[in-house]
C-alpha cells in the first residue's frame, strides 16, 4: 500500500460522493443501464484532480435504484479504478442491520477502505435500534463513518447519541449533514477522537474552520481541483483565500442540500463539459424553472473560477 493511501485512511480529506452515469437501454431498470466504463473514468478523474477518494453507492450514487448485482459492481468498479491513488468509502445503507451488514461484508471482500452507513432507512429507529445497527456494521471490521441525515431518515444522530456510537469499535468518523455547524464542536467535545466530516457542501467552509477534518462531498463531482484547494486553504487557516474561493460557489453548493441534488449535480457536470446524464426513478427530470436556476448559479460559479484563475 502506498504512503498516500496510508495517510488517507483516516477517512478525512475530500471524499467525493460519486454521481453514477447511465446509458439508455430499454431492457435495463428504468430504461437506463449503468455505464461502468464511464464511472471508472470519473473516479480516476476525481482523484487525479486532487480529491482524496471516492464514495460509491451513496444517495448521490442512487444506490436505492440499483439492483443488488449493480450495486456490488459499482463499488468494485470504484475500488479497481482508484487503486492505491486514494481511498474508497462504500455506502452500505440498508433498511435493517442485516442488510447493511451484508453490504459491509461484501465491501470488505471487494477491498474497500471504509464504510459509510446511515441509520436504518425507511424506519424511524429508536436509540437502541440505532446503536445495534451500527454495532452490526462495525463488527465486519472496516473503519465506519456513520452518516447523520435527519432530513431523509427522520433519525437525528444528536451529539449525545453520537458519543455513544463513537464507543463502538471501528466507528471512526461521522458525516454530519444536519446543516447545524454548531454540532462540529459539540461532537468533538462529547466524542473526542471521532473525525467530524462535513456532509453538506453549503456549510463546508464553516465546518472545516470549526474543526471538521473532512468533506464528504457532492459538488466536487463538478469542481474537484477547486474543492481540493478549498479544503487545503481551510485546514491551513488561510481564511481570506478560502472565503474568496468559497463565496462565489455557495449558491451552486446549496443545491446539494435540496431534494433535486442528484439532478442538479449531474446538470452541473454537464456545464463544465463532463457527462452527467439522466437519473433513474424515482428521480425525474428537472422543471424548466429549476434547470434555469441551477444553470444560472453554476454559470456564476464557473465565471468566478475563471476570473480567479486568470
Amino acid at each position: 500500500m502506498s504512503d498516500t493511501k496510508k495517510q488517507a485512511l483516516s477517512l478525512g480529506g475530500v471524499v467525493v460522493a460519486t454521481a453514477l452515469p447511465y446509458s439508455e437501454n430499454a431492457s435495463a431498470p428504468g430504461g437506463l443501464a449503468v455505464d461502468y466504463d464511464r464511472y471508472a473514468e470519473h473516479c480516476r478523474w476525481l482523484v487525479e484532480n486532487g480529491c482524496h477518494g471516492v464514495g460509491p453507492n451513496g444517495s448521490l450514487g442512487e444506490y436505492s435504484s440499483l439492483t443488488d448485482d449493480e450495486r456490488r459492481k459499482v463499488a468494485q468498479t470504484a475500488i479497481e479504478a482508484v487503486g492505491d491513488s486514494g481511498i474508497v468509502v462504500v455506502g452500505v445503507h440498508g433498511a435493517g442491520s442485516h442488510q447493511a451488514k451484508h453490504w459491509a461484508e461484501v465491501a470488505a471482500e471487494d477491498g474497500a477502505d471504509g464504510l459509510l452507513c446511515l441509520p436504518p432507512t425507511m424506519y424511524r429507529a429508536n436509540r437502541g435500534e440505532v446503536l445495534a445497527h451500527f454495532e452490526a456494521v462495525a463488527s465486519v471490521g472496516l473503519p465506519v463513518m456513520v452518516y447523520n441525515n435527519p432530513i431523509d431518515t427522520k433519525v437525528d444522530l444528536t451529539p449525545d447519541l453520537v458519543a455513544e456510537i463513537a464507543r463502538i469499535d471501528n466507528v471512526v468518523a461521522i458525516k454530519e449533514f444536519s446543516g447545524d455547524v454548531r454540532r462540529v464542536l459539540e461532537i468533538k467535545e462529547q466524542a473526542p477522537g471521532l473525525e467530524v466530516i462535513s456532509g453538506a457542501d453549503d456549510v463546508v467552509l464553516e465546518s472545516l474552520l470549526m474543526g471538521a477534518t473532512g468533506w464528504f462531498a457532492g459538488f466536487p463531482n463538478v469542481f474537484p481541483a477547486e474543492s481540493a484547494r478549498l479544503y487545503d486553504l481551510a485546514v491551513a487557516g488561510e481564511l481570506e483565500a478560502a472565503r474568496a474561493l468559497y463565496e462565489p460557489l455557495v449558491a451552486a453548493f446549496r443545491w446539494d442540500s435540496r431534494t433535486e441534488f442528484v439532478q442538479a449535480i449531474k446538470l452541473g457536470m454537464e456545464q463544465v463539459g463532463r457527462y452527467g446524464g439522466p437519473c433513474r426513478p424515482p428521480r425525474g427530470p428537472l422543471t424548466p424553472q429549476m434547470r434555469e436556476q441551477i444553470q444560472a448559479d453554476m454559470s456564476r460559479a464557473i465565471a468566478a473560477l475563471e476570473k480567479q484563475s486568470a
Side-chain angles (χ1 to χ4, degrees):
M1 184 178 293
S2 68
D3 290 342
T4 301
K5 189 119 176 175
K6 288 178 183 176
Q7 292 168 8
L9 284 177
S10 68
L11 306 190
V14 181
V15 178
V16 188
T18 43
L20 189 64
Y22 299 101
S23 58
E24 291 188 9
N25 185 325
S27 64
L32 297 169
V34 177
D35 190 332
Y36 297 103
D37 290 341
R38 186 171 259 151
Y39 180 63
E41 185 276 331
H42 185 58
C43 290
R44 287 191 292 268
W45 180 74
L46 294 171
V47 174
E48 288 166 0
N49 275 274
C51 297
H52 299 86
V54 298
N57 291 335
S59 302
L60 181 54
E62 301 177 66
Y63 78 93
S64 58
S65 297
L66 301 177
T67 67
D68 285 356
D69 287 344
E70 289 173 331
R71 183 170 175 177
R72 182 169 194 176
K73 190 171 179 180
V74 165
Q76 290 171 331
T77 300
I79 292 163
E80 182 178 354
V82 169
D84 277 350
S85 299
I87 62 170
V88 179
V89 183
V90 176
V92 296
H93 320 302
S97 59
H98 56 301
Q99 290 109 321
K101 184 179 179 182
H102 163 74
W103 289 114
E105 291 168 341
V106 167
E109 289 174 12
D110 292 337
D113 298 297
L115 310 172
L116 177 70
C117 188
L118 285 163
T121 58
M122 300 189 292
Y123 172 68
R124 189 179 294 181
N126 64 33
R127 197 178 191 96
E129 292 164 340
V130 168
L131 289 167
H133 187 81
F134 289 122
E135 285 170 353
V137 170
S139 71
V140 172
L142 285 178
V144 176
M145 181 188 300
V146 301
Y147 183 4
N148 184 36
N149 186 343
I151 300 165
D152 290 334
T153 65
K154 310 304 179 187
V155 176
D156 190 4
L157 305 182
T158 55
D160 61 304
L161 177 53
V162 171
E164 284 193 65
I165 296 168
R167 291 196 282 270
I168 299 170
D169 286 344
N170 299 318
V171 171
V172 301
I174 179 167
K175 176 180 176 181
E176 226 311 298
F177 191 75
S178 70
D180 185 354
V181 296
R182 295 173 297 184
R183 290 196 175 186
V184 176
L185 286 179
E186 193 171 356
I187 291 169
K188 288 170 69 68
E189 291 164 5
Q190 297 203 35
L194 186 73
E195 287 192 279
V196 181
I197 309 298
S198 178
D201 290 0
D202 56 341
V203 291
V204 62
L205 180 57
E206 297 88 333
S207 299
L208 290 170
L209 291 174
M210 296 314 297
T213 56
W215 177 15
F216 207 109
F219 267 93
N221 282 283
V222 184
F223 305 117
E226 297 83 359
S227 297
R229 175 166 167 72
L230 175 61
Y231 174 82
D232 290 342
L233 289 170
V235 297
E238 298 184 34
L239 179 57
E240 185 175 349
R243 283 187 61 180
L245 179 55
Y246 179 59
E247 288 183 14
L249 304 178
V250 169
F253 280 9
R254 289 190 188 112
W255 287 96
D256 180 58
S257 299
R258 294 173 179 160
T259 301
E260 300 81 11
F261 72 106
V262 182
Q263 298 96 316
I265 288 169
K266 286 188 171 184
L267 178 56
M269 292 167 67
E270 300 275 1
Q271 282 187 252
V272 297
R274 301 292 296 171
Y275 179 83
C279 298
R280 270 190 184 164
R283 293 179 174 87
L286 294 161
T287 65
Q289 295 86 351
M290 279 188 178
R291 190 176 185 87
E292 182 179 346
Q293 186 61 59
I294 294 163
Q295 289 175 322
D297 293 340
M298 279 292 305
S299 294
R300 286 194 297 273
I302 292 166
L305 292 174
E306 288 175 347
K307 183 177 180 181
Q308 289 178 21
S309 64

